[in-house]
Amino acid sequence: MDDATGLAAAIRPLTPLRVQQVEYNAPMLTVVGGGWSVALTGEWTWYRGDQVVAAWGDASAEDAVWDLCGLDLLDVVFPDLGFAGDCVFVLSDGRIEARSDRTGFETWAFEHEALDTVFIGL
């Protein structure tokens, strides 16, 4: 099972996952909850509907991402199930889209203490 379908299946019984903490080291965003985390190391954008809230490289991202605290991670969706580099983390107020630059470097990583695997998108 690849990371796309594997993470999609593994996360469903664990959700919702409450965001308790955010760490931002431009342009890397780490979202942390009780026993889980997702690190966005590549290009990412946080949306509410069609409105961009924050994106990697934005000067205002450092202040905006704190509003992720208290939201819930509800699901993970992959636009292309055969490619785990592009991933959508569905939130209680919108979504964070992680996009790969297709170079083979890590775009995102998801870890949960109840899972035996760290899922990585390249």
Side-chain angles (χ1 to χ4, degrees), residues 31-115:
V31 180
V32 180
W36 69 276
S37 66
V38 61
L40 302 165
T41 55
E43 185 178 334
W44 58 269
T45 306
W46 173 23
Y47 294 92
R48 282 190 190 120
D50 292 332
Q51 183 76 29
V52 173
V53 179
W56 79 299
D58 284 353
S60 62
E62 185 171 6
D63 292 327
V65 296
W66 298 110
D67 290 340
L68 289 164
C69 292
L71 298 179
D72 291 321
L73 175 61
L74 302 176
D75 200 1
V76 177
V77 178
F78 294 88
D80 177 354
L81 289 178
F83 180 67
D86 295 336
C87 181
V88 179
F89 295 91
V90 180
L91 303 170
S92 53
D93 88 329
R95 68 195 184 281
I96 297 176
E97 294 182 4
R99 288 174 301 284
S100 172
D101 62 5
R102 309 286 201 276
T103 61
F105 289 102
E106 183 177 314
T107 304
W108 58 266
F110 178 87
E111 183 174 12
H112 192 289
E113 65 187 11
L115 303 174

